[in-house]
Amino acid sequence: MSAIGDVTHVIPVVLSLQQQLPGVKITWIIGKIEAKLVGDLPGVEFIVFDKKAGRQGYRELRQKLKNRKFDALLHMQVAFRANLAAALIPARIKIGYDRDRSKDLHGLFVNRRIAPAPQQHVRDCLASFLEPLGLEAAPPRWQIPLSESDHEFARTHLASDRRNLVISPCASHTLRNWPAERYARLADHAIQQHGMKVILVGSPAPFEAEYCHAIEASMKETAHNICGQDTLKQLTALLEHADLLVAPDTGPAHIASAVGTDVLGLYAASNPNRSGPYNSLEWCVDRYPEALKKFTGKTVDETRWGAKAEYEGTMELVTVEDATAMLDRWVAERG
C-alpha cells in the first residue's frame, strides 16, 4: 500500500515466492495508482485499496476478505494506515519489521519480525521478509508486464539515431525537487555536448506540468515535453528503451532501475544508499551528508538510518556542475 518506489521493490519478493514455492497463492493488497503499474503480474490476486476512501476503504477491504484465511501476511509498510489494514487480514503468521524500524504501533499487528539490519537498502529490507518463512531472501530480479502498444508509445517518442535522456523532475515531496533552471542547464549540456534527445515526463498533476514547462522555458535548446501524456505502463516502456534517466528520489527512478536503465540520481534530501535506484547507486550525485551537516549539525553515522533532510534549500546543494560531471562520466563509461 506504499508508493510506487516501494511497490516496485516488492516485485522481486513476489517472483521469488513463486519460484521457491511453486503453486503458491499470492494476494497483494495495493493502492489504486500502484495497481496500474503492477496489477497484472501473473499468478497474483490483487485487492485494490483506496487510500483516500477513509473508513469506507476499510469496510470494503473487510468485506473482500470475509471468510478468507491466509497462512502468512507480509506486513511490509509501517504506516498506521497499513497497520489498520493488517488487523483485518486473517493470517496465522504476520511478519513485520524489526523493532528499530517499527513505528506507529506496528509491533502490535505482527507476531514475527525480520532480522535487524543496520544501514540496509529498502529493496534488501523488503527482500528479507521471506526469511521468517524459512525461505531465501528475494534476489534483485524484476518483471513488469508491458503490452506492444506500450512499447510502440515509447518508440514514437524516442530518437533512433542518438542517445535518449529522460528527465522526471518531480518527487512526491517538493523539498526533494531540484530547481527547474538547473534541470534546464543540465538538459542543454546533454544536447550541446553529447547530442542527446531530452524528454521531459511527469504526472498530469498541474504542479508537475508547470515544472516541466518551467524547465522548457529556461532552456536554450529544445526538449520533448510529454508530461502528463503517458500512463505508468507507457512510462515504464519509455524508460526501458531510453538510455538514461535523470531524477530525484521519486518512483520513476526505481522503475527505470527495475527495467535495466541507468539512473542519474539527484540526492540531498534523502540517503541514496537507503532509497536510491538500486542498480544505479554509482551514478547518484550524493549531497545527503552535506545536507545533514548543514541543517542538523549531524553526520550520517550520528543520524537515524533513513532520516530525511527535507529542508528549504537542501536540493540546492546539488550543483549543476555535480550533475553535468556525472553525466559526462556516464557517457565516457557507458558510451
Side-chain angles (χ1 to χ4, degrees):
M1 288 166 49
S2 190
I4 290 291
D6 290 331
V7 165
T8 303
H9 292 320
V10 175
I11 296 173
V13 178
V14 170
L15 299 180
S16 186
L17 263 174
Q18 292 172 329
Q19 183 177 40
Q20 294 187 64
L21 296 176
V24 64
K25 294 182 179 179
I26 299 173
T27 298
W28 187 341
I29 298 174
I30 191 169
K32 290 174 63 176
I33 294 175
E34 294 75 21
K36 294 178 180 179
L37 177 66
V38 300
D40 54 354
L41 276 174
V44 181
E45 173 198 19
F46 285 87
I47 295 178
V48 175
F49 179 85
D50 187 350
K51 293 183 276 190
K52 298 181 180 180
R55 293 181 180 179
Q56 181 60 29
Y58 293 102
R59 284 194 288 266
E60 292 176 359
L61 179 61
R62 183 192 292 274
Q63 184 62 34
K64 291 175 182 177
L65 295 175
K66 188 176 182 180
N67 299 323
R68 301 282 299 270
K69 290 186 178 180
F70 299 92
D71 295 301
L73 164 67
L74 306 185
H75 184 11
M76 306 171 92
Q77 187 184 9
V78 296
F80 189 67
R81 174 178 58 201
N83 291 333
L84 292 178
L88 302 176
I89 299 171
R92 180 172 56 88
I93 299 170
K94 294 191 175 186
I95 300 170
Y97 287 86
D98 58 284
R99 295 184 187 281
D100 286 345
R101 287 180 281 191
S102 295
K103 63 180 181 179
D104 291 345
L105 304 178
H106 179 77
L108 298 178
F109 300 88
V110 301
N111 53 30
R112 292 191 190 180
R113 295 178 182 269
I114 61 173
Q119 301 186 353
Q120 190 177 43
H121 193 282
V122 171
R123 194 224 73 89
D124 294 333
C125 171
L126 295 175
S128 74
F129 268 75
L130 298 184
E131 294 178 327
L133 294 174
L135 303 174
E136 297 292 326
R141 181 172 67 90
W142 284 267
Q143 172 189 320
I144 301 177
L146 298 172
S147 68
E148 179 54 35
S149 64
D150 296 325
H151 291 292
E152 181 57 33
F153 175 89
R155 288 190 287 267
T156 299
H157 292 284
L158 294 167
S160 60
D161 58 346
R162 50 197 161 128
R163 296 187 188 93
N164 291 278
L165 174 69
V166 178
I167 296 178
S168 180
C170 295
S172 56
H173 300 279
T174 57
L175 292 176
R176 298 180 195 172
N177 290 341
W178 205 38
E181 62 273 13
R182 296 192 184 185
Y183 277 117
R185 290 172 62 189
L186 175 61
D188 283 336
H189 180 85
I191 296 169
Q192 294 167 355
Q193 299 301 316
H194 302 297
M196 291 178 155
K197 178 175 182 177
V198 173
I199 303 162
L200 302 176
V201 299
S203 80
F207 170 79
E208 297 201 26
E210 292 168 7
Y211 218 82
C212 287
H213 284 308
I215 294 172
E216 277 191 295
S218 298
M219 287 179 62
K220 296 178 181 177
E221 305 293 336
T222 301
H224 182 56
N225 185 356
I226 59 170
C227 181
Q229 299 176 31
D230 56 341
T231 66
L232 274 174
K233 291 286 195 182
Q234 291 170 337
L235 173 64
T236 302
L238 186 79
L239 295 175
E240 180 178 318
H241 294 288
D243 297 286
L244 181 67
L245 170 71
V246 174
D249 187 0
T250 185
H254 302 292
I255 296 174
S257 186
V259 297
T261 297
D262 289 335
V263 181
L264 197 168
L266 305 173
Y267 282 76
S270 54
N271 188 345
N273 293 309
R274 178 187 177 273
S275 59
Y278 190 77
N279 293 319
S280 288
L281 298 184
E282 64 179 304
W283 305 116
C284 288
V285 176
D286 182 11
R287 293 297 179 189
Y288 177 70
E290 290 92 331
L292 280 182
K293 197 67 177 177
K294 178 176 180 178
F295 293 102
T296 72
K298 296 181 180 180
T299 67
V300 175
D301 292 336
E302 294 169 337
T303 304
R304 176 181 59 82
W305 184 251
K308 299 292 191 293
E310 295 176 339
Y311 303 95
E312 289 289 346
T314 292
M315 288 301 291
E316 278 83 344
L317 294 175
V318 177
T319 67
V320 174
E321 291 71 25
D322 287 334
T324 56
M326 187 64 78
L327 177 60
D328 293 345
R329 185 188 137 208
W330 180 87
V331 171
E333 295 187 23
R334 293 294 211 205

